[in-house]
């Protein structure tokens, strides 16, 4: 029987990928993704635990879903609620206890088992079916093929988990140890996506550039070698990868940016702070200078390389002077885009136990002054492109009638008249205007 599946996704791109894969897993059971919660037979919330008040947000969402479930049951409909993702992993028991109307709790490494978990649910039970194992089997061996095409720009998960243990971060606890998917499995999925119309792939991993995997011939490949194998797939025009750690930016990978034309000239390379003292306390395993040198070499390999980064302000013990070092590092690098956050103590992480927490008002002030700098860098970067001609991937209709939206090689959103090109095409556009977060273009 046809059933509707509504998935609400929070957090990172890997959650977006996982949500699509959960839909694939449930397709054989008759579930079709739907954009509407009201006619859903099952709702999955795919949660994120990385920052502020993650679990409170989940519980208030679950409060709304409780009323939804009661209404639906009042109408005689048999509906299910599942919680997936990193909050599910970290707080599975707590979710089942505080929200007994939840039917399934499934962690990021176990969702290939969803059909079985769903079959074990019982509307009369006040306990969720919980699976937060880090199973010995590789979930990718059990995931079915994509049920619906992913579109011109798609994600592909190649690496999961993290062994770096930055002292502020929950990822090593919720996503588990570093795991690299074998190359053959990645190449098969990539070819399938390309055959279904994908032209741009973003390889995903918490530490994607730490990928070291089994080669198709049974040997070992590093990440640069995987990239060159992907570049041989005909029809795959653009390759990106995220998120990378500076210490895994090895020589081969830097050279790949010179050698592989499909690799886009834009890299997300978080550094978190510009102060060596704070980098040390964060257990980042590199200095400010190491980071600067990597960026210099990347720009030498690929002169039009643009950078984006993540920064945390108000890490425990951060002084005005440490913060000034962050600002002057940002000034030196000149980012195309920056994501910045107030430090938020995550339960169970080492930094959460440090006494010297920074006052919230100080964090807010630092965040605001950092964002003033990074917003102006972003605008300046966009302005540099005005008047130039660039290849843009046509992705979708824009919100404004008669317009389409696409992506520049540097991840900028570009808006242009719809007659410029079909969705999925890569077309040359002349850039006519720059805005804070996007560009406007016209066909030549
Ligand atoms: N507090 C604030 N920001 C954090 N991040 C990760 N953990 C925390 C935390 N506890 C940020 C980092 C990371 C990004 C994904 O989220 O900048 O790179
Ligand atoms: Fe978290 Fe650090 Fe691992 Fe990134 S490298 S996922 S910030 S522990």
């Amino acid at each position: 029987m046809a059933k509707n599946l509504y998935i609400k996704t929070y957090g990172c791109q890997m959650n977006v990928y996982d949500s699509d894969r959960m839909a694939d897993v449930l397709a054989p059971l008759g579930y079709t993704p739907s954009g509407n919660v009201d006619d859903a037979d099952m709702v999955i919330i795919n949660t994120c635990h990385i920052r502020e008040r993650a679990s409170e947000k989940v519980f208030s969402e679950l409060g709304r879903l409780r009323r939804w479930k009661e209404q639906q049951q009042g109408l005689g409909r048999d509906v299910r609620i599942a919680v997936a993702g990193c909050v599910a992993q970290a707080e599975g028991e707590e979710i089942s206890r505080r929200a007994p109307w939840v039917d399934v709790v499934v962690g990021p490494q176990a969702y290939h088992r969803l059909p079985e978990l769903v079959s074990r649910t019982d509307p009369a039970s006040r306990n969720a079916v919980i699976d937060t194992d880090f199973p010995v089997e590789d979930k990718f061996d059990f995931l079915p093929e994509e049920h619906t095409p992913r579109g011109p720009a798609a994600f592909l998960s190649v690496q999961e988990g993290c062994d770096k243990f930055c002292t502020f971060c929950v990822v090593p606890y919720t996503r588990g140890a570093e795991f690299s998917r074998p190359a053959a499995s990645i190449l098969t999925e990539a070819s399938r996506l390309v055959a279904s119309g994908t032209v741009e792939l973003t390889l995903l991993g918490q530490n994607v550039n730490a990928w070291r995997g089994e080669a198709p011939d049974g040997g070992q490949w590093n990440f640069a070698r995987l990239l060159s194998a992907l570049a041989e797939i005909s029809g795959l025009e653009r390759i990106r990868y995220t998120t990378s750690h500076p210490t895994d930016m090895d020589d081969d990978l830097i050279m790949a940016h010179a050698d592989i034309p499909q690799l886009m000239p834009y890299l997300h390379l978080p550094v978190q702070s510009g102060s060596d003292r704070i980098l040390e306390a964060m257990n980042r395993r590199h200095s400010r200078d190491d980071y600067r040198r990597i960026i210099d070499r990347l720009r030498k390999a690929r002169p039009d390389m643009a950078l984006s980064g993540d920064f945390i302000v108000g890490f425990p013990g951060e002084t005005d002077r440490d913060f000034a070092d962050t600002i002057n590092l940002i000034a030196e690098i000149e980012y195309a885009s920056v994501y910045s956050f107030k430090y938020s103590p995550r339960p169970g992480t080492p930094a959460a136990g440090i006494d010297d927490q920074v006052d919230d008002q100080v964090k807010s002030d630092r965040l605001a002054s950092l964002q003033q700098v990074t917003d102006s860098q972003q605008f300046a970067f966009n302005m540099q492109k005005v008047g130039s001609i660039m290849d843009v991937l046509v992705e979708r209709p824009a919100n404004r009638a008669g317009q389409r939206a696409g992506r520049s090689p540097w991840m900028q959103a570009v808006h242009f008249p719809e007659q410029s090109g079909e969705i999925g095409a890569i077309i040359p556009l002349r850039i006519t205007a720059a805005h804070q977060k996007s560009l406007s273009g016209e066909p030549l």
Side-chain angles (χ1 to χ4, degrees), residues 59-295:
F59 282 108
S60 67
E61 180 76 38
L62 288 175
R64 285 191 288 277
L65 284 173
R66 172 192 208 162
R67 290 188 290 281
W68 168 79
K69 190 175 187 182
E70 285 166 357
Q71 273 167 6
Q72 301 296 317
Q73 287 174 331
L75 299 168
R77 297 183 68 228
D78 178 22
V79 297
R80 295 283 185 276
I81 299 173
V83 183
C86 292
V87 179
Q89 185 66 40
E91 300 185 33
E93 296 291 341
E94 175 85 355
I95 290 168
S96 176
R97 198 175 57 74
R98 278 178 59 187
W101 56 93
V102 168
D103 300 284
V104 175
V105 174
V106 64
Q109 305 311 338
Y111 64 76
H112 56 293
R113 298 173 175 169
L114 265 173
E116 192 234 322
L117 302 174
V118 173
S119 75
R120 275 167 42 206
T121 60
D122 171 2
S125 162
R126 291 183 55 80
N127 290 314
V129 178
I130 302 179
D131 190 343
T132 48
D133 282 359
F134 292 116
V136 284
E137 79 264 15
D138 172 3
K139 72 173 175 243
F140 295 108
D141 290 340
F142 294 83
L143 294 175
E145 289 190 11
E146 300 71 32
H147 187 64
T148 46
R150 297 297 193 240
F155 295 130
L156 201 173
S157 181
V158 304
Q159 183 282 334
E160 272 190 79
C162 181
D163 298 337
K164 300 268 190 309
F165 291 93
C166 298
T167 55
F168 53 81
C169 185
V170 286
V171 165
Y173 311 96
T174 59
R175 290 271 171 173
E178 251 172 52
F179 167 79
S180 292
R181 195 174 163 185
S185 151
I186 295 167
L187 292 167
T188 308
E189 185 171 331
S191 303
R192 243 177 13 228
L193 289 166
V194 171
S196 79
T198 293
V199 293
E200 172 175 313
L201 268 184
T202 302
L203 310 179
L204 300 179
Q206 268 85 33
N207 248 303
V208 71
N209 61 338
W211 186 93
R212 296 279 177 286
E214 188 187 322
D217 67 5
Q220 280 281 117
W221 277 358
N222 64 11
F223 188 57
R225 183 68 190 80
L226 176 69
L227 291 173
S228 47
L230 284 160
E232 280 165 30
I233 298 176
S234 129
L236 180 54
E237 308 286 346
R238 292 177 160 194
I239 303 173
R240 306 179 186 277
Y241 58 92
T242 195
T243 289
S244 296
H245 192 284
T247 58
D248 294 309
M249 247 16 253
D250 61 26
D251 296 348
D252 286 357
L253 183 51
I254 291 172
M255 282 322 290
H257 283 275
D259 298 339
I260 303 178
Q262 293 93 326
L263 257 188
M264 289 291 101
Y266 176 92
L267 183 67
H268 184 60
L269 195 61
V271 61
Q272 316 295 354
S273 168
S275 153
D276 278 334
R277 220 174 59 78
I278 296 296
L279 289 173
E280 170 94 42
M282 288 176 161
N283 190 32
R284 290 289 293 179
R285 304 151 191 258
H286 63 79
S287 67
R288 167 196 176 109
D289 247 27
D290 297 332
Y291 182 76
R292 286 239 30 194
R293 270 195 296 272
I294 293 164
I295 305 272

Side-chain angles (χ1 to χ4, degrees), residues 50-51 168-169 270 272 310-312 341-346:
I50 197 130
R51 284 180 297 269
F168 53 81
C169 185
Q272 316 295 354
D310 291 341
F311 286 89
I312 295 177
F341 314 98
K342 290 200 269 185
Y343 170 71
S344 144
R346 309 313 296 139

